[in-house]
Amino acid sequence: MTERRAPSTARRSERARVAILEAAYDLLLDEGFLAMTIEGIAAKAGVGKQTIYRWWPSKSAVVFDAALHAGEQAADSGGLPDTGDLEADLRLVLHAIVDELRDERRSAAQRTIMVESMHDDELAEKVVEHILRPQLELTKDRLRSAVRAGQLDRDTDIDTLPDALYGPIFYRWMLRTQPLTHAFADQILGTTLGVHKVNQRARQGESG
Amino acid sequence: MTERRAPSTARRSERARVAILEAAYDLLLDEGFLAMTIEGIAAKAGVGKQTIYRWWPSKSAVVFDAALHAGEQAADSGGLPDTGDLEADLRLVLHAIVDELRDERRSAAQRTIMVESMHDDELAEKVVEHILRPQLELTKDRLRSAVRAGQLDRDTDIDTLPDALYGPIFYRWMLRTQPLTHAFADQILGTTLGVHKVNQRARQGESG
Amino acid sequence: MTERRAPSTARRSERARVAILEAAYDLLLDEGFLAMTIEGIAAKAGVGKQTIYRWWPSKSAVVFDAALHAGEQAADSGGLPDTGDLEADLRLVLHAIVDELRDERRSAAQRTIMVESMHDDELAEKVVEHILRPQLELTKDRLRSAVRAGQLDRDTDIDTLPDALYGPIFYRWMLRTQPLTHAFADQILGTTLGVHKVNQRARQGESG
Amino acid sequence: MTERRAPSTARRSERARVAILEAAYDLLLDEGFLAMTIEGIAAKAGVGKQTIYRWWPSKSAVVFDAALHAGEQAADSGGLPDTGDLEADLRLVLHAIVDELRDERRSAAQRTIMVESMHDDELAEKVVEHILRPQLELTKDRLRSAVRAGQLDRDTDIDTLPDALYGPIFYRWMLRTQPLTHAFADQILGTTLGVHKVNQRARQGESG
DNA sequence: GTTTAATCGAGACGGTACGTCAGGTCTTTAG
DNA sequence: CTAAAGACCTGACGTACCGTCTCGATTAAAC
């Protein structure tokens, strides 16, 4: 993933690679990004420091790969569910996200990476490219499908809606101003889809 | 702000205190939180390292105070504007936030504080209490005023709406997936208020 | 002695200085120059590495000072003995040198210094100035005294004789081709003084 | 020369062997023993590190062989000249040695090897066996021949005389206290042979 | 004339020590 | 008594080499 200065990648020791990623992930969870050190990773992985420096340019890069390695979940989803009912499908997705983020153990690493990406442009780019962009694109695909199915206004801004959905959840997760719940996700969903929902608005119009 | 282990605070040199805070803020803008060092602050401020350690417990603490010192703006706002037109008032606020965050110099400190609060619970609490909570409370006040004025549904969830407004902006600012613009803020505002706006929905219902 | 890059020497910790020199000397005797490390000295002295690097530019420099510190004997001799009997006086000196060089513990430092001075011109100069030249000058003084006393030919080459005395001993010490003994020293002494001794040659002439 | 752990020596690549020795000698002259590295030799020779480690046990061993290879002069001499005039023959030998040692370029490597042999017992043994002992034995042979010819006392210590001859020259060469000249060699020779010369002493006796 | 097995260039590996940097504490000197 | 200056111990940094260990790809020998 990140072996950009890799000399060949052919002779590379898979054993060492995996040991490093797992040691890095453990240390990330146990000590946090700032406290962990390259020397610590090397020691825990039973690996020479140079073997880390040979394949990764920075601590950020190792940790990012470690997080990806820990959850090979990024590419597993072949897309968002599409049952025909947009709101139900999105609710499923948001609930899954909330569930994952509420598991403190699993989400600590994610949060750390997000945080570090704020002052590490290289890391930030990787986060956007490998984690956020794919998720956003899949979401947009689902929304376009909904437009085609007549469930959303034809003039809905497809680029903004995902931010409106994920932003508030991200906000509460990062800043912990209030608890992150399914109910909150539902409210965000309702609020966000509100103006754009064709049928509902029509029905509301009739009954109004 | 953070002088917890201060021995007396009485004999403290104001000259040194200000020099430290200003040096710290300059370095924060020039080098960023990670690159700057306590030694660097001391050198730039023409101060002994011990004079920093005597009054602050950590780099985070100095930088937080430096940011507060730089902009004594946190508490200046006596509340959100209330012209009677909720959407216009919120648009003003969101545009101001966007403007501040788009100014790299001004937003660097904010970003740093957010970042550091992630692995510094004490700092996190201060951020929430001194910066976020006040902003959220003022926003809620404005929303309640709108409900009273009949501009918003009576059953609008006042606790969720601010997250729906600020969350997406925070999301784009932190993750930099797409540029942060006034247009984006406007769309979020439109989407978010959409279902709750009394007049507009009524009008839409009539014309539907 | 070697604090060339010393910033001030005023604030210097005498405790640390002595601990370093003693640790260095111990390690020199126990492990030898090549095997010992700066980190090892620091650890044994209970000192930070930086405290060594602050005051000495190289391992050689530390070890040289350590050797000087161990035996503040370099300048102690107020001159060679002068009992009137040149051969007896020189025999005393050579035996003392042999004794010192045969004591592995005591000669290790000397050997190391000689070795290091080969690839460290600055050190070499110090060795010549502080150790060799004084010894040679004192020896020449004693020889001149013997010429005045009529024990040596008036045309004896005073500049060559010391090399003829010390050279062979140095040769065996360094190259270890054969053991270094008092008998060897005596033979060198006899051979070297042979042609120059006034009385003996005269007596030999009479008996020839 | 030193291929002690060589598995067969049969399949050995002569090209690689020579390239290694020449690279090593170049590096020895250019950087000195301490600064040069096995990796450097391998790189300069265009050879894998393992090819060095396969045939030599240590850097010392490679460098020693490299020096031998550079001057295949060690074993070329079939003995010291024996014209019947001991002093003239030895003068020839000493002048040749002085000439070689005065050539800084050629003698630098020799000096380095001598120096390193002080803290490298394995190297020391090789130096003694391959370079010094042969020279000393040849010298002793010549001296015994002189005894038989009646030019030297029958009780002359044959084991000491070579040290008395070579020691002072070695001393000045290594320590560089004074320049190394033919005149110096002549004086050493005169002093050393003085007491033992049969004819001269007899003549002196007659004239005394 | 092909096996076939050792050697070759290459270079990754687990390590040690390097010399530097900054952390946070302790000490000295001046005001 | 505080502040400046800065030395102190600590520990991580990123680099250079160590000596060992695979890798294919030549060789040169014995079949």
Side-chain angles (χ1 to χ4, degrees):
Chain A
M1 277 290 149
T2 318
E3 305 87 333
R4 63 186 59 171
R5 64 169 61 166
S8 73
T9 234
R11 294 207 198 277
R12 182 170 188 178
S13 158
E14 183 65 10
R15 185 183 63 67
R17 195 188 126 260
V18 170
I20 289 166
L21 293 179
E22 293 180 348
Y25 193 69
D26 283 359
L27 288 171
L28 179 60
L29 295 181
D30 290 351
E31 308 186 355
F33 184 86
L34 272 191
M36 71 192 288
T37 65
I38 297 268
E39 292 203 334
I41 299 171
K44 181 155 193 160
V47 140
K49 269 199 290 183
Q50 197 57 46
T51 301
I52 297 181
Y53 285 112
R54 181 151 38 227
W55 301 108
W56 288 276
S58 66
K59 188 166 74 169
S60 308
V62 190
V63 172
F64 179 78
D65 279 9
L68 273 197
H69 177 85
E72 297 283 24
Q73 80 286 40
D76 60 357
S77 65
L80 264 55
D82 190 346
T83 64
D85 181 347
L86 175 66
E87 188 160 6
D89 291 349
L90 288 177
R91 182 175 299 117
L92 224 63
V93 170
L94 294 187
H95 284 193
I97 291 176
V98 166
D99 289 341
E100 186 184 339
L101 298 182
R102 282 170 61 88
D103 175 353
E104 257 309 309
R105 184 83 183 158
R106 270 197 296 163
S107 86
Q110 304 266 15
R111 179 148 44 208
T112 294
I113 288 172
M114 293 293 172
V115 165
E116 290 311 312
S117 75
M118 290 200 75
H119 43 226
D120 184 336
D121 288 343
E122 180 204 337
L123 181 57
E125 195 178 333
K126 257 186 307 204
V127 166
V128 168
E129 284 313 311
H130 291 84
I131 299 181
L132 300 176
R133 189 94 67 207
Q135 172 79 351
L136 290 174
E137 288 306 323
L138 292 175
T139 307
K140 289 187 204 166
D141 287 347
R142 181 64 190 84
L143 292 174
R144 287 190 205 98
S145 160
V147 170
R148 282 194 301 273
Q151 290 186 304
L152 279 183
D153 273 354
R154 205 150 298 271
D155 60 347
T156 304
D157 187 335
I158 299 290
D159 284 340
T160 301
L161 221 46
D163 293 328
L165 285 170
Y166 300 132
I169 291 172
F170 179 77
Y171 184 79
R172 282 212 178 171
W173 173 53
M174 288 294 282
L175 301 180
R176 288 167 285 184
T177 51
Q178 292 184 82
L180 196 55
T181 62
H182 284 191
F184 174 70
D186 291 346
Q187 277 165 336
I188 292 297
L189 184 58
T191 292
T192 302
L193 289 188
V195 272
H196 306 293
K197 270 190 289 187
V198 173
N199 298 346
Q200 178 174 341
R201 200 177 50 189
R203 244 179 285 120
Q204 286 175 346
E206 287 161 8
S207 67
Chain B
M1 275 289 145
T2 320
E3 306 86 330
R4 71 191 64 164
R5 63 170 62 165
S8 72
T9 230
R11 292 202 192 263
R12 182 169 188 178
S13 158
E14 182 65 9
R15 187 185 64 67
R17 194 187 128 261
V18 170
I20 289 166
L21 292 178
E22 293 180 347
Y25 193 70
D26 283 359
L27 287 171
L28 176 61
L29 296 182
D30 291 350
E31 308 186 355
F33 184 86
L34 272 190
M36 69 192 289
T37 65
I38 295 270
E39 294 202 332
I41 299 171
K44 182 158 192 157
V47 140
K49 273 200 290 181
Q50 195 54 44
T51 303
I52 297 181
Y53 284 112
R54 195 167 7 246
W55 302 106
W56 289 275
S58 66
K59 186 164 76 167
S60 308
V62 190
V63 173
F64 181 78
D65 279 8
L68 275 196
H69 177 85
E72 300 280 22
Q73 80 288 40
D76 61 355
S77 65
L80 264 54
D82 190 346
T83 64
D85 181 346
L86 175 67
E87 188 160 6
D89 291 349
L90 288 177
R91 182 176 300 119
L92 224 64
V93 170
L94 293 186
H95 284 193
I97 293 177
V98 165
D99 287 341
E100 185 181 345
L101 297 182
R102 280 171 60 88
D103 175 353
E104 258 311 307
R105 301 273 303 175
R106 273 195 292 161
S107 84
Q110 303 271 10
R111 178 143 47 207
T112 290
I113 289 172
M114 291 294 170
V115 166
E116 290 313 307
S117 72
M118 292 294 111
H119 24 243
D120 185 336
D121 286 343
E122 185 200 335
L123 180 58
E125 196 178 332
K126 249 185 311 199
V127 167
V128 168
E129 285 312 312
H130 289 81
I131 300 180
L132 299 176
R133 188 93 67 208
Q135 171 81 349
L136 290 173
E137 287 308 323
L138 292 176
T139 307
K140 288 188 205 167
D141 287 347
R142 181 65 189 83
L143 291 174
R144 286 192 205 95
S145 159
V147 169
R148 282 194 300 274
Q151 289 185 307
L152 279 182
D153 274 353
R154 205 150 301 270
D155 60 347
T156 304
D157 187 335
I158 299 291
D159 284 341
T160 301
L161 221 45
D163 293 327
L165 285 171
Y166 300 132
I169 290 172
F170 177 76
Y171 184 80
R172 282 212 177 170
W173 172 57
M174 252 195 101
L175 302 180
R176 289 168 283 181
T177 51
Q178 293 184 81
L180 193 56
T181 62
H182 284 190
F184 174 70
D186 291 345
Q187 278 165 336
I188 290 298
L189 184 57
T191 293
T192 300
L193 290 188
V195 272
H196 306 294
K197 270 191 288 188
V198 172
N199 298 346
Q200 179 172 342
R201 200 177 51 189
R203 246 179 284 120
Q204 284 174 346
E206 287 161 9
S207 66
Chain C
M1 276 290 148
T2 318
E3 305 85 333
R4 69 193 62 167
R5 63 171 62 167
S8 73
T9 233
R11 296 215 204 270
R12 183 168 187 179
S13 157
E14 182 65 9
R15 185 184 62 67
R17 194 188 127 262
V18 170
I20 288 166
L21 292 179
E22 293 179 348
Y25 194 69
D26 284 359
L27 288 172
L28 176 60
L29 297 182
D30 291 350
E31 308 186 356
F33 183 84
L34 273 191
M36 70 192 288
T37 65
I38 296 269
E39 293 203 333
I41 299 172
K44 181 155 192 158
V47 141
K49 269 198 292 182
Q50 197 58 47
T51 301
I52 298 181
Y53 284 113
R54 181 152 39 229
W55 301 108
W56 288 276
S58 67
K59 188 165 74 168
S60 308
V62 190
V63 172
F64 180 78
D65 279 9
L68 275 196
H69 177 85
E72 299 283 22
Q73 81 287 42
D76 60 356
S77 65
L80 264 56
D82 191 346
T83 63
D85 182 346
L86 175 66
E87 188 161 6
D89 290 350
L90 288 178
R91 182 176 299 118
L92 224 63
V93 170
L94 293 186
H95 284 194
I97 292 177
V98 166
D99 288 342
E100 185 182 344
L101 297 182
R102 279 171 59 87
D103 175 352
E104 258 310 308
R105 302 274 300 176
R106 273 195 293 162
S107 85
Q110 303 270 12
R111 179 143 46 207
T112 291
I113 288 172
M114 291 296 171
V115 167
E116 289 314 307
S117 72
M118 291 296 111
H119 23 243
D120 185 337
D121 286 343
E122 186 199 336
L123 180 58
E125 198 178 331
K126 250 185 312 198
V127 167
V128 169
E129 285 312 311
H130 289 81
I131 299 180
L132 299 176
R133 188 95 66 207
Q135 172 80 351
L136 290 173
E137 289 307 323
L138 292 175
T139 307
K140 289 186 203 166
D141 287 348
R142 181 65 189 83
L143 292 174
R144 287 191 205 99
S145 160
V147 169
R148 283 193 302 272
Q151 289 186 305
L152 278 183
D153 275 351
R154 205 151 299 272
D155 60 346
T156 304
D157 186 336
I158 299 291
D159 283 341
T160 301
L161 221 47
D163 293 327
L165 286 171
Y166 300 133
I169 291 172
F170 178 75
Y171 183 77
R172 282 212 179 169
W173 172 57
M174 246 192 107
L175 301 179
R176 287 167 286 180
T177 52
Q178 293 184 81
L180 194 56
T181 62
H182 283 189
F184 174 71
D186 291 346
Q187 278 166 336
I188 292 298
L189 184 57
T191 293
T192 302
L193 289 188
V195 273
H196 306 294
K197 270 190 289 187
V198 172
N199 298 345
Q200 179 173 340
R201 200 177 50 190
R203 243 179 286 121
Q204 285 174 345
E206 288 160 10
S207 66
Chain D
M1 282 289 147
T2 319
E3 306 85 333
R4 62 187 60 170
R5 63 171 60 166
S8 73
T9 231
R11 299 231 211 247
R12 183 169 187 180
S13 157
E14 182 65 9
R15 187 184 63 67
R17 193 188 128 262
V18 171
I20 289 165
L21 293 178
E22 293 180 347
Y25 194 69
D26 283 358
L27 289 172
L28 178 60
L29 295 181
D30 291 350
E31 308 186 355
F33 184 85
L34 272 191
M36 69 192 289
T37 66
I38 295 271
E39 294 203 333
I41 300 171
K44 182 157 191 158
V47 140
K49 271 199 292 180
Q50 192 59 241
T51 302
I52 297 180
Y53 284 111
R54 182 151 37 230
W55 302 106
W56 289 275
S58 66
K59 186 166 76 168
S60 307
V62 190
V63 172
F64 180 79
D65 280 9
L68 273 196
H69 177 85
E72 297 283 23
Q73 79 287 37
D76 59 357
S77 65
L80 263 55
D82 191 346
T83 63
D85 181 346
L86 175 66
E87 188 161 5
D89 290 350
L90 288 177
R91 182 176 299 118
L92 224 64
V93 171
L94 293 187
H95 284 194
I97 292 178
V98 166
D99 288 342
E100 186 185 340
L101 297 182
R102 280 169 62 87
D103 175 352
E104 256 309 309
R105 184 83 183 157
R106 268 198 296 163
S107 85
Q110 302 266 16
R111 181 149 42 208
T112 293
I113 288 172
M114 293 293 174
V115 164
E116 289 311 311
S117 74
M118 290 199 75
H119 42 226
D120 185 334
D121 288 343
E122 181 203 336
L123 180 58
E125 196 179 333
K126 254 184 309 204
V127 166
V128 169
E129 285 312 312
H130 290 83
I131 298 180
L132 300 176
R133 188 94 66 208
Q135 171 81 350
L136 290 173
E137 288 308 322
L138 292 174
T139 307
K140 288 187 205 166
D141 288 346
R142 181 66 190 81
L143 293 175
R144 286 191 205 98
S145 159
V147 169
R148 282 194 301 273
Q151 289 186 304
L152 278 183
D153 274 352
R154 205 152 300 272
D155 61 347
T156 304
D157 187 335
I158 300 290
D159 284 340
T160 301
L161 221 47
D163 293 329
L165 286 170
Y166 300 133
I169 291 172
F170 180 77
Y171 185 78
R172 282 211 178 170
W173 174 53
M174 288 295 283
L175 301 180
R176 289 168 287 186
T177 52
Q178 293 183 79
L180 195 56
T181 62
H182 283 190
F184 174 71
D186 291 345
Q187 278 166 336
I188 291 297
L189 184 57
T191 293
T192 301
L193 289 188
V195 273
H196 306 294
K197 270 190 289 187
V198 171
N199 298 345
Q200 178 174 340
R201 201 178 46 190
R203 244 179 284 121
Q204 285 174 347
E206 288 159 9
S207 67

